[in-house]
């Protein structure tokens, strides 16, 4: 059964919390804190924008209210409310609560907390909620140290991470936790949060009596990308600019947040998500979407040469011989980026992206190469036919090397009646050209050459 919500981490074991004292202590702690910290909700009912997790009837809501918590990994972008959710759990359960930052602690501190948790449960029967912020910062051995305590139930682990747990949390620990996806706040939720901060006289900016223009509110809700911390930080700055006028307008909001900070990690999931989006948008001939994803990557700090390498790959893999000029242009763009750098080099990449999106495409060479590689690796490594082997010595000529070779340039059509594949692969067709772009012409020429070879072989036979 759930007991009355307490904040046991603020008191010695067995000491009952004094609610008025707790309120005073929390108020004092928050008084000089940034607005985002002061406005942090104390209960799950006050948390905005996470209804998919915290609505009555949802598993997490019922677990918190029923006191039957499970170990979990909270996964979401910055400012989505992971720490806020952990703090609300702290206030609404009867368990002891400990918090660590993976950036600031190592195995020694972790083992000490785990030992205390085991002792506490053995002597009082009380379990420990261990909140680890940025748990992805722990290495494998540090994460492994958590396993026995989580397995035994001494610790209910709540890990918070901005990184994909599939990549950053060891499998053994991940299998003992539920992954709870904490989504970015919607624009409406961010606007509600900012309105609440301007009206709240105890923890927010209510005493200033400020008003805010609706277009300023909408601007901040858009450019902060669902990050509550950034939105409240911007409101706090805008409020300082508006003290003399009593109203936050669009210009003040823009000044408070002079540049949008894009969510982007150059080595994690977002990196792969965005390059995938760019690649697939180009493949689908959507130049506008392609330019947008390119901008997201470059403005987020991605290495432009990495993008150039991927576009070179696209030119050869997806455009191929449907437009042979695409690879030339891709290499020119790579050289431009290398030569002039950023931000001017971005224009060369933008030009290339639009060209590739408009270009006819064929992956026929890519498919042919994969089939040829497969045969090279998986079939018998037979020598080339004797006619096309090199014969630089008398011995090699006596063994038949080069016998029957016909110089293609001496043939009227420029094609000789020779088999160039080993006998075991005779007749194999790897390259199957499409009829798109230049590849139609290439395919027609190759088909004509093949017909000549077949005809001459038949005549000889």
């Amino acid at each position: 059964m759930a007991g009355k919500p307490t904040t046991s981490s603020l008191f010695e074991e067995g000491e009952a919390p004094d609610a008025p004292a707790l309120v005073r202590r929390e108020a004092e702690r928050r008084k000089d804190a940034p607005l985002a910290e002061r406005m942090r909700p104390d209960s799950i009912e006050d948390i905005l924008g996470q209804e998919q997790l915290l609505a009555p009837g949802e598993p997490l809501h019922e677990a918190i209210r029923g006191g039957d918590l499970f170990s979990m990994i909270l996964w979401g972008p910055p400012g989505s409310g992971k720490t806020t959710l952990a703090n609300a759990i702290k206030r609404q359960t009867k368990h002891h609560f400990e918090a660590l930052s993976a950036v600031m602690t190592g195995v020694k501190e972790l083992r000490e907390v785990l030992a205390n948790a085991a002792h506490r449960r053995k002597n009082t029967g009380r379990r420990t909620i261990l909140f680890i912020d940025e748990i992805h910062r722990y290495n494998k051995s540090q994460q492994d140290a958590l396993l026995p305590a989580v397995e035994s139930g001494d610790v209910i682990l709540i890990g918070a991470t901005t990184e994909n747990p599939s990549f950053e949390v060891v499998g053994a620990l991940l299998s003992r936790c539920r992954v709870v996806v904490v989504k970015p706040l919607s624009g409406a939720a961010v606007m509600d949060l900012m309105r609440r901060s301007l009206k709240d006289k105890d923890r927010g900016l209510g005493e200033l009596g400020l008003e805010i223009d609706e277009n300023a509110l909408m601007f901040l809700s858009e450019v902060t990308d669902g990050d509550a911390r950034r939105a409240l930080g911007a409101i706090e700055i805008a409020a300082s600019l508006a003290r003399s006028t009593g109203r936050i307008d669009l210009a003040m909001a823009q000044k408070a947040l002079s540049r949008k900070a894009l969510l982007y990690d150059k080595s994690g999931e977002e990196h792969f998500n965005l390059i995938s989006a760019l690649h697939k948008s180009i493949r689908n001939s959507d130049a506008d979407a392609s330019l947008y994803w390119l901008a997201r990557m470059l403005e987020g700090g991605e290495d432009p040469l990495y993008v150039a390498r991927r576009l070179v790959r696209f030119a050869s893999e997806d455009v191929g011989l449907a437009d042979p000029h695409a690879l030339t242009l891709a290499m020119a763009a790579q050289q431009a980026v290398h030569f002039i750098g950023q931000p001017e080099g971005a224009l060369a990449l933008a030009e290339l992206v639009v060209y590739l999106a408009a270009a006819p495409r064929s992956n026929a060479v890519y498919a042919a190469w994969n089939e040829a590689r497969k045969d090279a690796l998986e079939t018998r490594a037979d020598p080339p036919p004797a006619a096309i082997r090199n014969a630089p010595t008398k011995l090699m000529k006596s063994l038949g090397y080069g016998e029957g070779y016909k110089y293609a340039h001496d043939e009227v059509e420029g094609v000789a009646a020779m088999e160039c594949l080993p006998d075991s692969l005779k007749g194999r067709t790897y390259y199957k050209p499409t009829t798109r772009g230049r590849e139609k012409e290439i395919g027609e020429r190759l088909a004509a050459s093949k017909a000549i070879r077949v005809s001459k072989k038949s005549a000889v036979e």
Side-chain angles (χ1 to χ4, degrees), residues 184-352:
L185 273 65
S186 66
V190 172
M191 291 174 72
D192 286 345
L193 181 60
M194 290 188 287
R195 289 191 188 100
R196 184 184 294 182
S197 72
L198 290 172
K199 293 178 180 178
D200 192 317
K201 294 184 178 180
D202 296 324
R203 300 186 300 177
L205 304 169
E207 291 185 353
L208 299 178
L210 298 174
E211 299 292 331
I212 184 168
D213 292 348
E214 193 68 15
N215 54 359
L217 201 62
M218 291 183 66
F219 167 77
L220 291 175
S221 72
E222 285 290 327
V223 298
T224 51
D225 291 330
D227 185 332
R229 190 183 300 111
R230 289 195 70 233
L232 290 174
I235 278 288
E236 193 167 19
I237 295 172
S240 68
L241 298 174
R243 286 178 181 270
S244 60
T245 63
R247 190 172 192 85
I248 300 172
D249 59 21
L250 179 59
M252 292 176 184
Q254 291 171 333
K255 189 177 292 187
L257 199 66
S258 59
R259 177 175 170 82
K260 181 174 179 176
L262 294 176
L263 172 62
Y264 189 69
D265 53 336
K266 292 192 284 182
S267 60
E269 186 196 17
E270 197 68 6
H271 164 84
F272 295 106
N273 282 343
L274 265 60
I275 193 61
S276 176
L278 173 61
H279 198 106
K280 290 168 183 173
S281 296
I282 298 173
R283 182 180 289 156
N284 204 42
S285 302
D286 191 333
D288 297 311
S290 302
L291 286 169
Y292 172 74
W293 295 120
L294 174 66
R296 280 279 299 272
M297 294 187 77
L298 296 182
E299 293 301 318
E302 181 58 77
D303 178 4
L305 285 174
Y306 167 78
V307 179
R309 287 194 295 272
R310 291 300 297 254
L311 295 177
V312 168
R313 174 185 172 183
F314 185 94
S316 57
E317 180 179 319
D318 281 83
V319 175
L321 291 177
D323 184 354
H325 180 63
L327 183 56
T328 302
L329 189 62
M331 291 307 302
Q334 183 270 336
Q335 286 296 304
V337 170
H338 181 72
F339 182 61
I340 63 176
Q342 290 289 78
E344 293 85 355
L347 188 58
L349 294 178
E351 179 181 331
L352 175 59

Side-chain angles (χ1 to χ4, degrees), residues 37 60 95 122 165 167 170 221 299 306 341 343 360 403 422 453 460:
E37 177 62 26
L60 185 55
H95 303 295
K122 179 180 179 181
F167 303 146
V170 297
S221 72
E299 293 301 318
Y306 167 78
E403 186 176 336
R453 287 198 306 272
V460 172

